[in-house]
Amino acid sequence: MADDKTDILSAIYQYKYLYFGFDPEGETMDNPWKATPVLCGSDDGINWTVIDHLPQLGNLRDGSIAIYKDWYYLIGTSWGYRTKNFKDFEELDTSFLKRDGFHDIWAPEFFTDLQGNWHIVWCANNGKRHVYVCDFDPETGTASNTWQQVDEDGGIDPHIWTHNGKYFLSIDGYWLYQSDSYLGSFELIKTDMVHEGENKNHWYEAGETLQIDNTLYFYMDHIDGSVPGVADSGVMEVQTANIDDLTHWSGPQQVSCSINMRHGSFIKVNQQVNPSPEQTVSSLSLNQLSDDPFTLKQNVTQNVTSTVVAINSIYKFCERIVGTDSNSIRINTAVKNNGLDRVLRNFVVRSIVLIQREINEVVRMFNANDFLNIKTGQPVEYLSLNIPTMLTIDTSYKDTLNNDWQKIEDKINELFTIIKQFTKGE
């Protein structure tokens, strides 16, 4: 039986944009660098939804993500990985990031040059801060020509991108530069980017970009010491500018997410080809919850994912036969932990409520187009579920949820039966 990580790939492709960074929840005076790597998705660059946490990557901070063929490359301060499925991770050889005489070797990230060659950029301190670059082969996952020094002003958290035949560099948050070469020299771009109230306790760092159409979104960590005893605590803010004019910027706003997003990278999902063709099905079979309550998260995650695929398959039929507008649904199946707590309970309630709503929208569409129940010749009845709101995961809870799964399976398969009858002979 597949585990719940199987669905990370399909969840990624439900969004236009992807963030890979870290969640600092749990950071304290005694553990100021607490971090859990995390993936989030968005359709607008402002409002983000957690896809999943990746605690198996350890305390990886300052994450960078890039895609090569069917490999997802992930790197951050101290180490890196690559994966094809977000279940099995192959650790990259990042030993080149250690060098005698250097410390504060931070925030490595991937970028491609104007010829499409891959590189990694990072910062380090040997008495003065500098930015360094190496070549990287995404086919083998290996680095070469390491520690090429970039001609720049010296700073932390370097980020390099290209536009219109130029290289652009951000360091120390809001300082922007441009050059004809990724090795420099880099010329300062004078901007009106807002960075007010800086002092020894408040500053900006970790500049990252995402281009959406002709607008450049520029994300920064605004460090404000909001967690007692954690000087590096803060929030992520974003400003925007026209991609062809980086001198004038909108005022900052905080990104919206259920977690406190911190330093990470952003990519367009739709720049890549989905490695899995969009799945369609013609029937639905759901799993019943076992007597082991600790399988609840896995049971709900799998059943919700299967149901979403089935509903979207039905929508494709309606689009093809009836000419309805293209439609699809998504239900986020990310739950931060596996505990039998209120978070998991609310996740189950939310999932059942959303499934009932979406199935009844399909039923409404069928009835509006005279797709009738095969056995009765009458309009399809709406689905009515018993939402499992009980606080204890006991026999009554299990029976309620399993009864709902059976009703969902029966209703979806009733709709598929109507489709098969309608398309008979095609």
Side-chain angles (χ1 to χ4, degrees):
M1 183 172 292
D3 63 47
D4 54 356
K5 292 295 181 190
T6 303
D7 302 316
I8 289 183
L9 284 179
S10 59
I12 285 173
Y13 283 94
Q14 294 177 1
Y15 298 96
K16 295 179 180 179
Y17 312 108
L18 184 65
Y19 155 86
F20 173 62
F22 71 93
D23 178 356
E25 183 178 1
E27 61 182 358
T28 65
M29 182 186 303
D30 296 328
N31 189 6
W33 304 109
K34 174 71 170 64
T36 304
V38 64
L39 289 168
C40 298
S42 175
D43 288 330
D44 61 11
I46 302 294
N47 300 286
W48 295 86
T49 300
V50 174
I51 295 174
D52 212 345
H53 287 76
L54 301 171
Q56 62 270 50
L57 303 187
N59 205 59
L60 188 71
R61 296 171 67 94
D62 315 324
S64 173
I65 186 169
I67 304 174
Y68 178 76
K69 296 182 178 178
D70 54 353
W71 284 108
Y72 284 79
Y73 276 91
L74 311 169
I75 198 170
T77 296
S78 299
W79 55 87
Y81 302 87
R82 66 178 184 174
T83 181
K84 292 184 177 182
N85 54 21
F86 289 92
K87 292 190 299 179
D88 307 303
F89 292 88
E90 177 185 329
E91 188 168 356
L92 301 177
D93 180 4
T94 54
S95 58
F96 66 91
L97 290 173
K98 298 177 177 63
R99 188 178 183 186
D100 290 343
F102 288 79
H103 58 92
D104 297 346
I105 302 172
W106 292 337
E109 64 174 62
F110 301 105
F111 74 95
T112 54
D113 63 29
L114 292 170
Q115 287 72 46
N117 302 307
W118 281 48
H119 307 273
I120 298 174
V121 60
W122 66 93
C123 62
N125 191 328
N126 65 343
K128 179 174 172 52
R129 297 188 187 278
H130 282 297
V131 173
Y132 299 88
V133 165
C134 73
D135 302 335
F136 186 78
D137 182 355
E139 194 70 46
T140 62
T142 56
S144 61
N145 299 320
T146 59
W147 292 91
Q148 303 172 64
Q149 186 170 322
V150 177
D151 185 1
E152 42 72 47
D153 288 343
I156 65 169
D157 300 334
H159 171 60
I160 293 177
W161 72 100
T162 60
H163 178 64
N164 279 351
K166 294 281 188 179
Y167 292 92
F168 293 84
L169 166 72
S170 70
I171 53 175
D172 291 341
Y174 52 82
W175 294 101
L176 304 185
Y177 304 81
Q178 66 178 359
S179 174
D180 293 324
S181 167
Y182 60 81
L183 293 176
S185 59
F186 278 90
E187 177 186 355
L188 179 67
I189 301 173
K190 295 181 179 180
T191 78
D192 59 6
M193 194 176 293
V194 174
H195 49 93
E196 297 176 343
E198 287 187 290
N199 54 49
K200 66 178 182 179
N201 297 316
H202 293 261
W203 68 89
Y204 295 83
E205 62 183 31
E208 297 285 339
T209 60
L210 173 66
Q211 183 178 340
I212 300 179
D213 297 326
N214 292 321
T215 300
L216 192 69
Y217 286 62
F218 192 85
Y219 303 85
M220 291 187 291
D221 283 5
H222 183 185
I223 304 303
D224 56 12
S226 53
V227 177
V230 183
D232 190 56
S233 55
V235 298
M236 182 181 287
E237 296 178 348
V238 60
Q239 302 186 47
T240 61
N242 184 288
I243 188 65
D244 294 313
D245 179 9
L246 300 187
T247 60
H248 300 295
W249 292 82
S250 68
Q253 68 178 105
Q254 188 172 334
V255 297
S256 175
C257 189
S258 61
I259 66 164
N260 182 20
M261 294 168 60
R262 288 289 307 277
H263 187 184
S265 68
F266 302 83
I267 59 173
K268 292 181 181 179
V269 175
N270 58 1
Q271 285 184 328
Q272 307 296 332
V273 177
N274 188 339
S276 301
E278 190 169 4
Q279 185 178 2
T280 58
V281 297
S282 57
S283 65
L284 178 65
S285 177
L286 300 179
N287 298 317
Q288 295 283 286
L289 178 64
S290 72
D291 291 331
D292 180 2
F294 287 95
T295 64
L296 177 60
K297 175 186 172 182
Q298 182 179 11
N299 171 261
V300 176
T301 299
Q302 292 172 348
N303 282 349
V304 168
T305 300
S306 297
T307 303
V308 166
V309 171
I311 293 173
N312 287 337
S313 298
I314 293 173
Y315 272 130
K316 286 187 175 301
F317 158 78
C318 293
E319 180 184 353
R320 178 169 61 88
I321 300 299
V322 184
T324 57
D325 292 337
S326 177
N327 194 13
S328 64
I329 67 166
R330 60 172 177 251
I331 297 177
N332 183 21
T333 57
V335 182
K336 188 170 183 179
N337 55 52
N338 291 297
L340 301 177
D341 55 12
R342 187 175 295 274
V343 172
L344 183 58
R345 170 193 173 274
N346 291 343
F347 162 68
V348 176
V349 169
R350 169 182 164 274
S351 298
I352 297 297
V353 168
L354 289 175
I355 285 175
Q356 178 175 260
R357 184 188 70 189
E358 295 296 343
I359 289 178
N360 282 334
E361 174 59 24
V362 174
V363 170
R364 183 200 65 77
M365 189 181 302
F366 269 51
N367 290 338
N369 288 280
D370 292 328
F371 298 146
L372 305 179
N373 181 286
I374 299 299
K375 294 181 179 178
T376 66
Q378 299 297 314
V380 180
E381 293 184 2
Y382 285 93
L383 178 65
S384 179
L385 300 176
N386 187 7
I387 310 301
T389 58
M390 301 82 100
L391 296 178
T392 303
I393 303 176
D394 53 14
T395 300
S396 176
Y397 183 98
K398 184 191 77 169
D399 291 344
T400 299
L401 182 60
N402 283 339
N403 188 49
D404 282 344
W405 291 140
Q406 191 61 56
K407 286 183 177 180
I408 291 168
E409 180 181 309
D410 291 345
K411 182 58 64 177
I412 288 291
N413 285 330
E414 177 187 349
L415 298 173
F416 276 129
T417 299
I418 296 172
I419 290 173
K420 291 172 185 176
Q421 180 67 25
F422 190 88
T423 57
K424 186 181 297 183
E426 284 194 354

